[in-house]
Amino acid sequence: MNVVNHSVIWVSGTEGKVGRSVSNRGTNWEWLTVPGYDTCDWRSLVAFSDKRALLLNAGEPAHIVLTTDGGQSWKEVYTNTAKGIFFDGMVFKNAAEGMAIGDPVDGKFTIIRTMDSGKTWQPDPPAKLPEAKEGEAIFAASGTSLRMLPNGQACFVTGGKHSRFFIGWDKWKANNWNFTQGESSQGAFSVAFADQLNGVAVGGDYLKDSVTTNNCFITKDGGRSWQVAVTSPGGYRSCVQHITGKKYLATGPSGTDISEDGGLNWHTISKEGFHVAGVAPGGVFVWLAGSKKTGHFRTMQQ
């Protein structure tokens, strides 16, 4: 999901489908299937306006497609048929510079970059790629495992046998934490920052989505150190979003929670499950999207 402003919202999902709302704050939607890509699971979406957007699928082979006319037509701007390729997130530093990141290939995370607003993409050389530990991967559940920070650096979170927090852009530094980890279904799934220093990461175990042990950590020093939440979200959470001030929202298949103290304490506001959330600039409205079982959107006004 990508919220451009209070009126323009994009979502993407399985079977090559894309949704776009350009009026009534998400009440009305136009649904599209990208021609020729009906088997793609579009997990990563970056929208620049009501007309221009990029989609990146999770899985093999990898594709990035671009529209400049609101989804009426699409152009493939990147493809990768390498064995094991699996992208998890895509972000932009500014209108021109962007990055996409994927699971390890040959022991190193995959990174590609664009310098021309997504028209062309180039891979980072192997020497610049961050190294992964055995069994460590990134989750593509909500497309929010990779984020930009205000100072122009990016960060991403991992899981599996090992879970870590990475920060950098041209060079990467990994920080350890006590996030739940050890199994392929466990780890950090999403991260969000209120500013350069204060951030929240959520996750857990998607096979045991009611377990709350070590499923949320907060930082007050830009990711150098992390502390576990005092009162955790109500289970596995696939997405966290900063709303405004110290207020965050976390959502997952077993429910949705709010924190009003920077992620230290959470209370459940809904037992209905969603996979991803998006926040309008200023934090006045929040939209949540889920599967066919809960396939609708909600707006929440402060």
Side-chain angles (χ1 to χ4, degrees), residues 199-201 216-218 227-233 246-248 258-266:
V200 174
C216 177
F217 280 72
I218 71 168
Q227 67 179 101
V228 67
V230 175
T231 305
S232 298
K246 293 186 176 183
K247 184 179 289 187
Y248 289 82
I258 287 282
S259 172
E260 299 186 30
D261 59 3
L264 274 175
N265 295 281
W266 296 81

Side-chain angles (χ1 to χ4, degrees), residues 127-150:
K128 292 182 64 176
L129 297 174
E131 293 187 1
K133 294 184 177 182
E134 183 180 357
E136 183 180 20
I138 306 171
F139 290 108
S142 64
T144 56
S145 54
L146 171 67
R147 296 281 199 170
M148 288 303 306
L149 296 172

Side-chain angles (χ1 to χ4, degrees), residues 16-74:
K17 288 185 169 52
V18 184
R20 186 180 72 123
S21 179
V22 295
S23 63
N24 298 325
R25 294 182 177 133
T27 302
N28 300 319
W29 289 86
E30 175 187 14
W31 294 98
L32 311 162
T33 299
V34 182
Y37 298 88
D38 55 359
T39 62
C40 284
D41 185 357
W42 303 120
R43 295 289 185 91
S44 301
L45 162 66
V46 173
F48 301 91
S49 68
D50 62 332
K51 301 294 185 184
R52 184 181 179 86
L54 287 158
L55 297 172
L56 169 62
N57 70 303
E60 178 186 333
H63 306 281
I64 299 179
V65 294
L66 167 69
T67 183
T68 58
D69 56 11
Q72 299 308 302
S73 64
W74 298 85

Side-chain angles (χ1 to χ4, degrees), residues 180-197:
T180 185
Q181 56 194 283
E183 302 292 337
S184 60
S185 57
Q186 299 175 342
F189 283 69
S190 179
V191 63
F193 275 78
D195 50 42
Q196 188 59 39
L197 297 177

Side-chain angles (χ1 to χ4, degrees), residues 69-154:
D69 56 11
Q72 299 308 302
S73 64
W74 298 85
K75 178 182 179 182
E76 183 171 279
V77 293
Y78 176 81
T79 186
N80 191 324
T81 60
K83 181 71 174 177
I85 196 71
F86 193 104
F87 280 96
D88 303 280
M90 177 172 53
V91 293
F92 272 73
K93 179 185 290 193
N94 50 51
E97 295 178 84
M99 170 192 294
I101 196 163
D103 284 348
V105 175
D106 296 329
K108 293 187 175 184
F109 292 102
T110 304
I111 295 178
I112 60 173
R113 300 176 191 260
T114 180
M115 297 293 291
D116 56 10
S117 302
K119 297 175 184 176
T120 61
W121 294 81
Q122 297 78 35
D124 273 8
K128 292 182 64 176
L129 297 174
E131 293 187 1
K133 294 184 177 182
E134 183 180 357
E136 183 180 20
I138 306 171
F139 290 108
S142 64
T144 56
S145 54
L146 171 67
R147 296 281 199 170
M148 288 303 306
L149 296 172
N151 68 349
Q153 288 187 308

Side-chain angles (χ1 to χ4, degrees), residues 196-218:
Q196 188 59 39
L197 297 177
N198 296 283
V200 174
V202 301
D205 187 335
Y206 71 80
L207 294 179
K208 301 175 181 177
D209 63 12
S210 64
V211 174
T212 62
T213 304
N214 290 348
N215 70 336
C216 177
F217 280 72
I218 71 168

